[in-house]
Every structure is written in C-alpha cells, then in structure tokens.
Amino acid sequence: MASPALWQRCIAASALASTSRNVTRTFTTTTAVAMARQRPGASKPTVARVPGLDHPGTLHNLSEIHPLLDHYPRKTDQDGSLNLETPKLWASAPPLDNMLKNQADDDVDEASLPHGLTKDDLKKFLKRALVVKRTSNMTTAGKIPSMYALVVVGNGEGIAGYGEGKDDEVARAVRKATNRAMRNLTAFDRYDDRTIYHDIDHKFHATNIQFRSRPPGFGNRCNHYIHEICSCIGILDISAKVWGSRNPMNVIKATFEALSLKQKLPEDIARGRGKRVVDVQHTYYGANE
C-alpha cells in the first residue's frame, strides 16, 4: 500500500499538469495570436474580396452583388435626415381578383335568369344554407380538404331553386352555391297558392318520400329540410314522410324533383281523359267554377 506522502505528490502533480494545460490553451488562443500579428514581417491573413464591398460605407444597392440581396434605396427628407418609413409591398388594398379567384364565373347574369327576373328581384329572395360540411379528396399527394355547401333560394311565390358549391372557405362555397341556385330557378305549381294538387309518392336513389295535400290551416308537418324548401316555394299546407335514406342532399333533391315533375295539373288530366277543365276541377278539387 502506497504511503500518504506518495498520494500527496500524485495529487500535486495532476493539479500542476491541469494548470499548465489551461495556461497553454489560453496563451495559444489569445496571446500567441496577438503577438504573431504584431511581429514584424508577419503576413496578414488573406480575405476573399467581394466586388462592391471594398468600401462598405459607399454601398447603397446590394443588388449589385446578387439579385437576392436587393433592397429598397434609402430615402431622405428635405432637411437631409434619414427617412425611416418602410416602403409598402402592397398598394392600399390587395387586388380583389387575387383574393377572390374564380368569382367572375359565378356572377349571376340577368339573361340566364328565368321568368324575366332582374337582379333587383333577387334581393327579395329567401336564402337557406341547408347543408354545410367539410369534405376531403384523397389523392396521391394526400387528403385535400374543402368545404361543401347546398343552398336553397326562393321568393315564396312559387319560384325556387337549389345549388351546390365547393371551395376552400365556407363563405365562398356558400356564395357559389347561392349564385348557382339563382341560375337554376324553377316554377312550381300550387293549388290555391298554398298546397300541392294531389298526393305524390317519389323515389330518389334510396330515399322514398310521400307528399300529401292538406286543407287550409294544416301547416307544414314534414322533415325539416322539406319544411325549409316549402317555405321558399310558398307551400303553406302539406305533410310529408321520408322513408329509407335520410341523407340531406338526397332529401332536398328528391323534394325538388317530385314537386316539379310529378304533379299533374287539371289541364293535363282533362286532356288525357277528354273532358273539360271545369269538369275536372269540379270533380277532383270541388271547384265551383
């Protein structure tokens, strides 16, 4: 076993070695470099010269070095002081065409509107966004999300239509759907301007709907989507029952298809049976005239 004196000498030697290493490192990094620079005949380190940077104080446009370094030139006021106002990248307002792209194609044209309607008449229409949901298209690059909207419009006097729109934002999707609904307006026949002429059974894909004509004061007792559609059309008394699929889009499309194509008017019945319209109205609808 080593004596205590030997341990003490080993500890002292290790402390001296660590101190010498610290002194050497400090001398190498600071003192030696400074002394080498002050030594006569020592060559200065070569620095790569960049054109335009020999005199940085006279440089005003960094684009002379590289186009990526372009900047706005400095502006001075009338008194010669430096103007610190940062120039604006945009004008007072960004271009509207860049913000609302593809909107010109969705504008409503008066020539495309049925029944001689004008844009002033469209302001009086009822608008109902019945379906607004998020969809995603699966592609090789991944899922591409978007917003889907289905809007129903009508004037409450027998004219209504529906349209679908899809966009990245909800507001623009609803606007597209509304404009397309305005172009797809359809006239609906109403008995006594309040209900349908007769009962209707209609099937659209997996959706089955039964419409029933009702007396005055009955109201709209039906599916909430059908209720909104009837309010836009102007039907006040009707009952309906939905069987099978209750998908909102199928229910809305089935309602429009049934009310616009499945109704038989007294003129059609009289023409098919070889009778007068007055007799048909008296027999089927109890008309006095």
Side-chain angles (χ1 to χ4, degrees):
M1 182 174 181
S3 61
L6 180 60
W7 282 106
Q8 293 177 358
R9 288 197 296 270
C10 292
I11 294 173
S14 61
L16 181 61
S18 61
T19 303
S20 62
R21 284 195 299 270
N22 295 336
V23 172
T24 304
R25 186 182 301 111
T26 305
F27 178 80
T28 303
T29 55
T30 57
T31 310
V33 174
M35 293 176 62
R37 289 178 177 177
Q38 296 176 0
R39 186 177 58 189
S43 61
K44 296 182 180 180
T46 58
V47 180
R49 296 292 181 181
V50 179
L53 286 182
D54 295 335
H55 302 283
T58 60
L59 182 64
H60 296 286
N61 190 1
L62 294 178
S63 61
E64 297 177 359
I65 302 175
H66 196 278
L68 294 178
L69 301 179
D70 190 14
H71 73 294
Y72 288 95
R74 295 184 177 183
K75 297 182 180 180
T76 56
D77 296 332
Q78 296 179 355
D79 55 354
S81 60
L82 183 63
N83 187 1
L84 300 179
E85 181 181 359
T86 304
K88 297 181 180 179
L89 298 179
W90 291 92
S92 59
L96 185 61
D97 296 338
N98 296 337
M99 297 179 60
L100 301 177
K101 57 182 179 180
N102 300 329
Q103 292 299 314
D105 299 336
D106 296 312
D107 292 338
V108 179
D109 186 11
E110 293 187 8
S112 63
L113 297 176
H115 314 295
L117 297 176
T118 61
K119 290 187 177 181
D120 295 335
D121 299 333
L122 299 182
K123 298 179 181 179
K124 304 176 182 179
F125 273 58
L126 301 175
K127 304 176 182 64
R128 299 287 186 270
L130 300 184
V131 180
V132 177
K133 64 179 181 178
R134 181 181 181 273
T135 61
S136 60
N137 182 24
M138 191 63 188
T139 63
T140 56
K143 292 184 178 180
I144 301 178
S146 61
M147 300 303 299
Y148 169 87
L150 192 152
V151 179
V152 175
V153 300
N155 63 348
E157 298 179 358
I159 298 177
Y162 75 92
E164 301 171 281
K166 184 180 289 187
D167 202 283
D168 297 337
E169 298 181 4
V170 177
R172 290 194 289 192
V174 172
R175 179 182 176 184
K176 287 183 178 181
T178 304
N179 293 338
R180 289 166 186 170
M182 293 295 186
R183 292 197 295 263
N184 297 331
L185 294 176
T186 306
F188 294 86
D189 298 310
R190 300 174 297 161
Y191 174 70
D192 200 15
D193 293 339
R194 61 173 185 81
T195 186
I196 57 179
Y197 277 89
H198 55 81
D199 299 343
I200 301 174
D201 295 337
H202 183 63
K203 180 179 180 181
F204 182 83
H205 296 290
T207 302
N208 293 276
I209 305 181
Q210 296 178 353
F211 298 93
R212 297 294 180 260
S213 177
R214 294 306 179 190
F218 186 84
N220 294 337
R221 304 182 188 180
C222 49
N223 182 282
H224 57 284
Y225 294 110
I226 301 177
H227 186 282
E228 294 293 343
I229 295 173
C230 292
S231 299
C232 294
I233 295 175
I235 297 177
L236 306 178
D237 304 307
I238 194 175
S239 65
K241 179 65 177 178
V242 181
W243 304 91
S245 174
R246 290 179 174 82
N247 183 279
M249 293 178 289
N250 285 350
V251 172
I252 295 171
K253 295 177 182 179
T255 302
F256 273 91
E257 190 175 286
L259 297 180
S260 61
L261 301 178
K262 294 296 183 177
Q263 286 196 85
K264 291 184 179 181
L265 302 180
E267 295 82 1
D268 300 334
I269 299 175
R271 188 181 305 107
R273 299 202 175 195
K275 296 184 179 181
R276 296 182 303 173
V277 178
V278 177
D279 297 336
V280 172
Q281 290 179 346
H282 179 74
T283 302
Y284 287 90
Y285 308 107
N288 297 327
E289 298 180 359

